[in-house]
Amino acid sequence: MADGAPPSTKTAPLGAAEVDVVVIGGGVNGVGVARDATMRGLKVALFERNDLAFGASGNSSGMIHGGPRYLSYDPAVTETSCRDSGHIQAIAPHLLFRIPFLVPVASSARARVLLTLMDAFFEGYDEYQPLKRGKPHTRLTPDEMRALEPGLHGDIVGGISFDEWGIDGARLCVTNALDAKERGARVHVGTTVEAIERREDTGDVVAVRWRDLRNGRTGRVTTSAVVNATGAWAPVTASLGGLTAGRARVRPGKGIHVAFDRRLTNYAIAARTIDNRQIFIEPWQNISVIGTTDDDYYGDLDDVVATSEEVRYLVQGIARVFPAITEARAIHTWAGVRPTLHAYGPHEDALSRDHRVVDHAAHGAPGLYSMIGGKLASYRLFAEEMTDVLARRFQLGASCATHKSFLPGGDEAVDPFDLAERLEIDAVAARRLVYRHGSRSRVIEERIAESPREAAVVCPCEPVLEAEVRHAVQGELARSVDDVSRRTRLGLGACGGMRCALRCGQIVAEERGLPPRIGREMAVRFLINKARARVVALGPEQARQEALAISSVRSELGVRELSLDGQAESEPR
Amino acid sequence: MSRRVIVVGWGVAGLAAAYAAAERGAHVALVGEGAGATSLCPGAVDDVDWSEREAAAAVVGAPLLAPALDDEVRAFVSTVTDWDLAQAGQPLPRLVATTGIVRTARGRDPALLDLGSVGDRTVLVPRAPRASWDADALVASLRDEAPGVAFEAIGAPVLRFADEARIADADLAARHDDDARLAWLAARLAPHVERAGRPRAAVLLGPWLGLAAGRAQVLAARLGCPVGEAMASQSLVAGLRFERARDRWLARSGIELVRARAVGFERTGEVCRVSLRGAPALEADVVILATGGLVGGGLVYDPPEHRAAPDGPEHVRAPFRVRFPIDGVRVGDGVAAGVASSVFGPVLDHAWPRAGAAGSLERAGVLAGPDRAAAPGVFVAGDVAASEHRTVLAAVHAGLDAGARAAAIEAGERRKTALFA
């Protein structure tokens, strides 16, 4: 079909194929569509090439912020973000935590004017705050600023405080995927789609061919529609359906974060980089995070890592407002690639954070859709818009209810202190457990009632209990140490997995019925990948500890196992 | 007058240097403080990387027999440490790690169970509710790793008090220094050993069998069967036993021990002077540095950006330095570090080893000539002189070499420079 043909209004009958919709991509947009479409009565299969939240969703700033940054040029993004932030708080209250922000204004000739302008600007933002249970902004004097955050540096004339919410992006993806699965969707992780088959005459989507990357098994599933929700991979995925990559074009923007071993501040603090970009330090769960960069990315999407250059750039920017950062202990970095809407020319920071559904009927591929752009905060709305398009295709009457029904664990609050007492575990461990699982922490409680030794702490930094590791494999689609870490934050603390990865690998192998050797290989791969992410941010004392970590791993595992880096997981078929 | 030698560092390389110098009649002062790589060694005593040896053995299909070692290395190990080295030509010991790995070693802390000596016995592995000890998972892994040996998880209670589910391995080990406690443990294990048919049983425990020497052997004698530990890289227990053996040797050797951190070095004419924190300076003809590279802290990674002004460093300086002001620090491909090529210091993106190649942190060290001399009057040994990862016995050998040369430069004594005889 010729380019530029009008989108097809053709409809498809329900149940004509094995599934109605194949969703490709286990990021927040993909799992959001899978959940919404399943709730509206469609038969859904989701394929994720790596793991849920492997890409941008699990490597974000961990905020569902309203995006005040976009207010001046993209107010619609701010409004939708704020509105949807409110919805997410309603359906998964256990996953949310408040992050109050401070924006210091340094003394300069125009500082007073700047402060007044900012005050007026946040007045505008306040209009959207009620949508997400946010508090209105406050203008603060220098003394008030320093009282709130004693580590603030420099000659400041005052500042602004405003309100945002933090979230664990990986858990958000996992809960959405679980909900879709419990409602009947098929969810395949570690499974790549190798081809999207279309009819030669009409161009209609008829099936996808998939390959399980861990055991090489292949298969085919027939379907009436395919949703390409693969984020920065979108052009690659579109090409699997015979489209040119340009039909699902994104402008991939790499962003990195550096994690520090504790909450260094009470408030998130905004700062400026040497090239006047806005960055921040935020207290996030039990760590501090600084971020982020935004650079056009031309590398391998399956292997995105922060470099020491990027780390130094961020640390330098934060040090201007919070100098103690240069002596803080960096324990981890992560990097992701934003699937920003494509535009040639604008500076990375000036790109729109909006999202768009591309109906490839216009390109001769009816039934194939691409989700381009988007933000963590507005994933649910984006999924709703996508599912509305599907609903029209299948002539469904059901309207979206994803903002009204709880995500798994969100339905009921659990008191962590009671839980700690019942399980005879540390209150901190109980609190972390309840944060991650909400009312579903009862499932883990039941495991421990059945087998009391599962109350043992596997990862002392986070902490994570043995029962939670087993639950991640049995009930949350985790297949490796890395997957468990993504779901529980195991091994992401100060020890970098040195104390828990091998034990975790042992458990994963046992739960999956694999030879213990495979569990060990998973653990080594995890240790090496985390070390690789960590070394770019090392300070002097940590370099010593890193040298020790290397010799310790060598002495136990030998050099050959250290050479696993980059190899595919070998598993019996 | 005998030569005066100062050895800085009391890990295995420093001890070997002190031993060799003292054997040759030098007057030795050993400066020691803190714990380094040797204290963290889990009890496996390697000559070469064990995994490479096993890979080579698999390729040629030959059994793993112990190669002959240099005589002085053997003499040092038997004099200074409690470690057992396999006799040349005999099978290598096979050790178990709590993570389920079985690996060979050239020698071992004698508290570790040697699977090679277990023969056709059944190895009993008691269950214990400790986070790092899952007997069933361990047994499953060991059956996979050592198919010729029978393993069985048993329900014998080995923890006596409730807190023992949580305390550190070293604390639990210390409780077994008590004879009554060891007798209690033997009584708990005995019925299981009997049931398995005593001579046909062996017992594998975690790294809990005492900080004093020979506790595992005492337990073995009580039970009438082999008993030993699995090693754990984070446990420190084997390291604490090494330190006790070291202290016993130092007490009887006549070597002067100075418990302090060396903080400065200068050379005036023929006299080397080492200044110490909290103790009077020492003077000698020769100084041997055995301060353990980055691991022991003898080598310091000190990037200019650390503690710099908010905008970044004002000065460029060498990112790696020895605690003492001597030249010749190297990093990367064995080249002298000099000043950094950026004001922010080096890029550590390849600090970890990849695909068998050493990482940049491992390749940091002090440049030394073929005679182990780094500067006039200064010799180096152990990790501080390594350009790649080192094994325990390689560090011993390097220490002996440096000690011998330091004690007898004029005598022109030539030592064999090979670790293997």
Side-chain angles (χ1 to χ4, degrees), chain A residues 308 312 316 320 326-327 453 457 503 516 520 531 540 543-544 546 548 554-560 563 565, chain B residues 40 49-51 99 101 103 131 133-134 141 145 233 294 301 305-306 311 344 346 349 352 354 356 362:
Chain A
S308 56
R312 283 164 174 166
Q316 180 196 39
R320 284 181 69 92
T326 59
E327 292 183 50
R453 83 142 288 149
V457 174
R503 174 68 183 130
R520 210 155 51 232
R544 283 183 63 181
E546 205 64 32
L548 177 61
R554 269 199 194 286
S555 132
E556 179 143 356
L557 300 169
V559 288
R560 291 180 58 244
S563 310
D565 196 10
Chain B
L40 295 155
D49 187 283
W50 67 272
S51 60
T99 47
I101 293 164
R103 55 100 117 195
W133 183 260
D134 182 337
S141 182
E145 287 267 303
S233 61
L294 275 169
Y301 172 56
E305 69 192 301
H306 190 62
D311 274 349
F344 293 95
D349 299 41
W352 262 67
R354 294 191 71 176
E362 286 182 297

Side-chain angles (χ1 to χ4, degrees), chain B residues 258-285:
Chain B
V258 184
R259 294 291 307 271
R261 187 169 285 279
V263 291
F265 167 79
E266 64 186 319
R267 186 178 168 87
T268 316
E270 294 293 303
V271 179
C272 297
R273 186 181 161 89
V274 173
S275 39
L276 306 171
R277 184 181 296 149
L282 298 174
E283 289 188 348
D285 304 307

